[in-house]
Amino acid sequence: MTLLASFGTLVNFLKNKSGPFMNPALYYIGIISSELKNIADCPRQADENAPGASVIIYPEFVSGIKDIRPGDEILLLTWLNLGDRTILETRPRNNPHAPLTGIFSTRSPDRPNPIGIHSVKIISITGGEIKVDGLEVLDQTPVIDIKPIWNTKI
């Protein structure tokens, strides 16, 4: 199968949910509560004045956060549900003068699997609400996982 035919098959799958691609179950473990309500308000990176936010963990997953603490640094994995899943090339930072770049060498939310990876520091935890420092995602963005950041080599 040629690359073009593969891409056509992918686009068909994404539109019709049929074809040779995996369709694994993915569970949202929570949702982001943020002051960022519109994509235009969203900084491109966390270090570009991203506001603090809350990660609201769904009740059935709260026991999974019992061992994380304020001050911990975590990787927050989100499902960038507004991303365009058919995009394979983009102009970085939406710069119309930049050359087209393969999507997998960018942090664009537009990609076949729109998974966001965010390094954040936990400010506080109350029940199922985790307050974190700068997070560059929109309000109501689904959370798919949380991973610890280890400061030692594995």
Side-chain angles (χ1 to χ4, degrees), residues 10 14 79 84-88 103-104 109-114:
L10 172 62
L14 293 173
W79 188 258
D84 182 341
R85 298 185 72 184
T86 63
I87 300 296
L88 292 178
I103 203 69
F104 300 127
D110 298 325
R111 54 195 328 108
N113 292 305

Side-chain angles (χ1 to χ4, degrees), residues 65-140:
I65 66 169
K66 71 181 181 85
D67 296 310
I68 62 175
R69 305 278 180 259
D72 287 354
E73 292 182 9
I74 58 172
L75 287 178
L76 190 61
L77 283 76
T78 59
W79 188 258
L80 303 174
N81 56 314
L82 299 179
D84 182 341
R85 298 185 72 184
T86 63
I87 300 296
L88 292 178
E89 294 181 321
T90 190
R91 296 187 192 283
R93 302 186 72 81
N94 292 328
N95 177 348
H97 305 293
L100 279 174
T101 301
I103 203 69
F104 300 127
S105 63
T106 75
R107 289 184 46 99
S108 171
D110 298 325
R111 54 195 328 108
N113 292 305
I115 298 171
I117 302 174
H118 318 275
S119 176
V120 294
K121 185 174 184 178
I122 297 174
I123 305 302
S124 66
I125 303 172
T126 306
E129 180 180 6
I130 305 168
K131 291 193 177 185
V132 298
D133 64 2
L135 182 60
E136 76 286 11
V137 298
L138 292 173
D139 187 51
Q140 302 302 299

Side-chain angles (χ1 to χ4, degrees), residues 10-58:
L10 172 62
V11 170
N12 182 55
F13 170 74
L14 293 173
K15 289 180 181 173
N16 304 312
K17 303 297 186 235
S18 65
F21 296 92
M22 289 178 42
N23 195 8
L26 194 73
Y27 300 102
Y28 295 165
I29 65 166
I31 199 138
I32 300 299
S33 177
S34 171
E35 67 185 57
L36 299 171
K37 308 295 185 200
N38 301 302
I39 196 76
D41 300 332
C42 212
R44 299 201 190 282
Q45 303 295 328
D47 63 357
E48 295 175 349
N49 298 317
S54 291
V55 181
I56 309 300
I57 302 298
Y58 294 142

